[in-house]
Amino acid sequence: MVQKFVLESSETLYNALKPLLFRLTAGEAHARVLRLLALADSSALACALLRWVYRVAFAPHSRPSPEFGGVHVGGVTLDHPLILAAGFVKGHGFTSEAQALAAVERGEDIIPGWRSIPALVGLVEFGSFTRYPRMGNPGVVMWRDPATRSIQNRVGLKNPGARAAAAFLARHKRHLPRTFGINIAVSPGVSDPAQEETEIREAIRLFLDMGIVPSWFTLNLSCPNTEDDPGANQTEASARRLCAAAISELNGRTPLWVKLSPGLADEQYAALLRAAVETGVQAIIATNTLAQPTPDNPLVLGGVAGGRLYASACEAVTSLLRAKLHERYKIDVIACGGIADGRSWASFGATAGQYYSALIYRGALAAAIIEREYEQFSRVDTR
Ligand SMILES: Cc1cc2nc3c(=O)[nH]c(=O)nc-3n(C[C@H](O)[C@H](O)[C@H](O)COP(=O)(O)O)c2cc1C
């Protein structure tokens, strides 16, 4: 009853606010939200309030019981099935590691939302973090397409770098959520295999050495939003090499998940799945965004998320699940791409999912709303 009230009020309020928010460009709205989140991060009271909302909105998943033992996926037990995907809580860009570390030393919130967002939505994958800081792409890098509930971006892996991110999270270790993931990626433009491996190993080591042991690490092999890395690392050989490097660095301390692009051929998904299974990866996230021409300049590509990604993400998940079944692999497939409501979530047939665009189109409690819709129509369908 209280859950219904909170979720309905949240949607009504967000629907009223959305026209105002959407009057701003996607980039401006994002920047303002990040400023608000930094304020909320710094307030114990605000975070306690957000945690209360979480407990009501996500009931009964948030109170594991003998009947609900959690969602088991990729070597992790989750309190509910939907995780906020990488890209939202990823931090500011910096031009150098020294600058990023100096900001941490000054006590700045270099990863806005690190505390407030998990308090409100529960499961979050932080990052992507590259080994060194990145400023990302200049100019307009984010667009909305409300008619299809899509977002397009070419943020270009803007982030504070693994060392500063680890140092920042280590300072706030006491307030980190119980369950969270960290997404890491090779720096765009790096193509020397030895350097790629070193970057991945060092990024993982920096977090672990500073006592930041996430519930899972995700190795992002799929970054279409930078000029210099259109293909990413999605050949079987490259995936095998990077997964093996990450797994050996993790040394069994935490599971590894891998994130792939949409739009690959069935054979390529099968090969990447094989490489993942044989190196010890425990879950595949399918998918990242789909590279398409941007509205401002059709010669420049940006990654599409949301409604316009949904069909490709479904195909990718189906392809991976088919290969998994055929080979009897024991790896999980986590759906990501256009999960917007109970039906789109159910259609993937996956145990767990990740979402980003739903947050923009349905508000902060999108995951709770979608999980509730899913339960409601599952009940109707089985009657
Ligand atoms: C603005 C923006 C930034 C993103 N940044 C990252 C990132 O840094 N790393 C990553 O793995 N995925 C990133 N993503 C992709 C999302 O994690 C997710 O895979 C994608 O948005 C598809 O989910 P959706 O259709 O629910 O939005 C980003 C997406 C958006 C919209």
Side-chain angles (χ1 to χ4, degrees), residues 165-326:
F168 175 80
L169 295 179
R171 274 191 163 214
H172 299 288
K173 204 170 158 197
R174 233 162 29 98
H175 296 299
L176 286 179
R178 186 165 46 88
T179 311
F180 67 101
I182 290 182
N183 179 311
I184 50 167
V186 171
S187 302
V190 171
S191 54
D192 171 36
Q195 196 187 338
E196 287 179 345
E197 283 176 41
T198 303
E199 285 205 357
I200 291 301
R201 282 181 177 277
E202 285 185 1
I204 290 175
R205 203 179 310 145
L206 282 165
F207 285 103
L208 296 181
D209 284 356
M210 290 200 211
I212 304 302
V213 185
S215 316
W216 71 92
F217 269 105
T218 292
L219 176 59
N220 181 10
L221 295 179
S222 50
C223 289
N225 308 323
T226 55
E227 306 305 51
D228 45 4
D229 194 26
N233 283 294
Q234 296 179 106
T235 62
E236 183 176 359
S238 188
R240 191 177 289 277
R241 216 168 21 77
L242 293 176
C243 291
I247 292 277
S248 88
E249 198 60 49
L250 288 169
N251 198 18
R253 278 179 285 184
T254 196
L256 183 70
W257 300 357
V258 160
K259 187 164 179 181
L260 299 178
S261 290
L264 307 182
D266 286 338
E267 299 73 32
Q268 197 172 351
Y269 281 125
L272 291 168
L273 194 66
R274 184 166 55 240
V277 169
E278 288 175 5
T279 50
V281 171
Q282 300 206 38
I284 300 279
I285 303 169
T287 65
N288 208 317
T289 54
L290 183 65
Q292 285 188 350
T294 48
D296 303 348
N297 181 351
L299 297 177
V300 174
L301 298 181
V304 168
R308 276 160 51 202
L309 169 63
Y310 172 67
S312 300
C314 281
E315 280 173 23
V317 169
T318 305
S319 178
L320 287 160
L321 287 175
R322 201 184 303 123
K324 168 186 152 142
L325 208 66
H326 187 259

Side-chain angles (χ1 to χ4, degrees), residues 71 73 78 80-83 257 333-336 339 345 350-354:
V71 177
V73 72
L78 309 174
H80 57 99
L82 291 178
I83 304 164
W257 300 357
V333 178
I334 295 169
C336 180
I339 296 176
W345 164 220
T351 316
Q354 294 198 345

Side-chain angles (χ1 to χ4, degrees), residues 147-159:
T148 62
R149 288 184 166 187
S150 304
I151 322 170
Q152 190 163 10
N153 92 88
R154 51 185 304 278
V155 171
L157 279 177
K158 175 177 173 172
N159 78 95

